[in-house]
Amino acid sequence: MRRAFVAAALALLLVAGMAAVARSGAFALRRLTVSGPGSAFVTARALGVGARTSLLLLSTPAVAARAVAADPWARAARVRVVLPHTLEIALVPRVPVALVAGGGVVWAVTAAGMVLPATAAERLSLPYVTGVAAPLRAMVEDREPTLLAALAVARALPPSARPEVSEVHALRGGQAFELVLMDGRPVLLGPATDLGAKLGLLPALLARYPWPEYAGTGFDLRDPQRPALYSIGR
């Protein structure tokens, strides 16, 4: 019984000692580093930390959640505590799948319809979505059905064929879609159904019928079993 009492007393002293050390300032936050596209939004105030914050008592999941809430361009945040005084946060940006233009501005758009500022690299590598209502401002959630359907087409593009696609064009209010390749050739998709089967044919067709041997000729993928070449203007 006495041994149990002594062990409990020692445990309480140990916990009290650790709490005292944590609150003493020996591990207080003195340096905050934030990297990522929206790092300017992720301040100490937004994170709820300051000079009196002990890194030993910090909840890293809570800090990560506050960082994502503060940065409209981040989809996740990695938090790293470097004792004794440093907190490092790396913001993981949202991934756009296409571009939209409106009001003289080009925006990048994620698969969920989140509109973001487009980088120079994204303007060169992502296809434009046309035939949909353009967003009015940055960092808005546009749930317009036609845009979301067109983004599904852009997301389904095979990685090897993605650099070859210039536009994803919505037809008849999003009831059908057409791709425009970088060389101007159209690719008829029809309704946005069986996208995987349809678009899976595109890399092989591009390799089999390269430009300029088939100048003015597009692809019709409406029947995945029988993709047909057709002439522009017919």
Side-chain angles (χ1 to χ4, degrees), residues 36-38 71 73-76 90-96 116 122:
D71 180 7
W73 303 335
R75 61 183 173 87
L91 301 167
V92 182
R94 298 179 185 271
V95 180
L116 311 168
E122 288 165 352

Side-chain angles (χ1 to χ4, degrees), residues 61-225:
V63 171
R66 291 183 196 130
V68 172
D71 180 7
W73 303 335
R75 61 183 173 87
R78 293 191 290 266
V79 179
R80 180 169 174 254
V81 173
V82 183
L83 296 176
H85 302 298
T86 302
L87 179 63
E88 297 178 349
I89 298 176
L91 301 167
V92 182
R94 298 179 185 271
V95 180
V97 297
L99 302 170
V100 291
V105 181
V106 174
W107 307 112
V109 191
T110 69
M114 177 65 77
V115 181
L116 311 168
T119 66
E122 288 165 352
R123 293 187 186 194
L124 294 175
S125 60
L126 295 178
Y128 279 80
V129 169
T130 59
V132 300
L136 299 178
R137 63 186 188 276
M139 294 179 292
V140 299
E141 196 82 14
D142 189 342
R143 296 293 183 180
E144 204 274 320
T146 301
L147 176 60
L148 292 179
L151 293 173
V153 175
R155 186 176 65 249
L157 288 171
S160 60
R162 193 168 293 133
E164 304 290 336
V165 178
S166 173
E167 294 181 12
V168 177
H169 185 58
L171 305 172
R172 301 196 301 276
Q175 298 303 309
F177 293 89
E178 178 185 69
L179 305 180
V180 179
L181 303 182
M182 295 298 289
D183 56 29
R185 284 182 293 177
V187 180
L188 293 180
L189 290 178
T193 55
D194 300 321
L195 288 176
K198 292 178 182 178
L199 295 175
L201 299 167
L202 196 52
L205 290 173
L206 290 171
R208 183 176 180 183
Y209 303 105
W211 181 268
E213 287 81 356
Y214 288 83
T217 302
F219 304 118
D220 188 343
L221 302 184
R222 286 174 293 185
D223 182 356
Q225 302 302 318

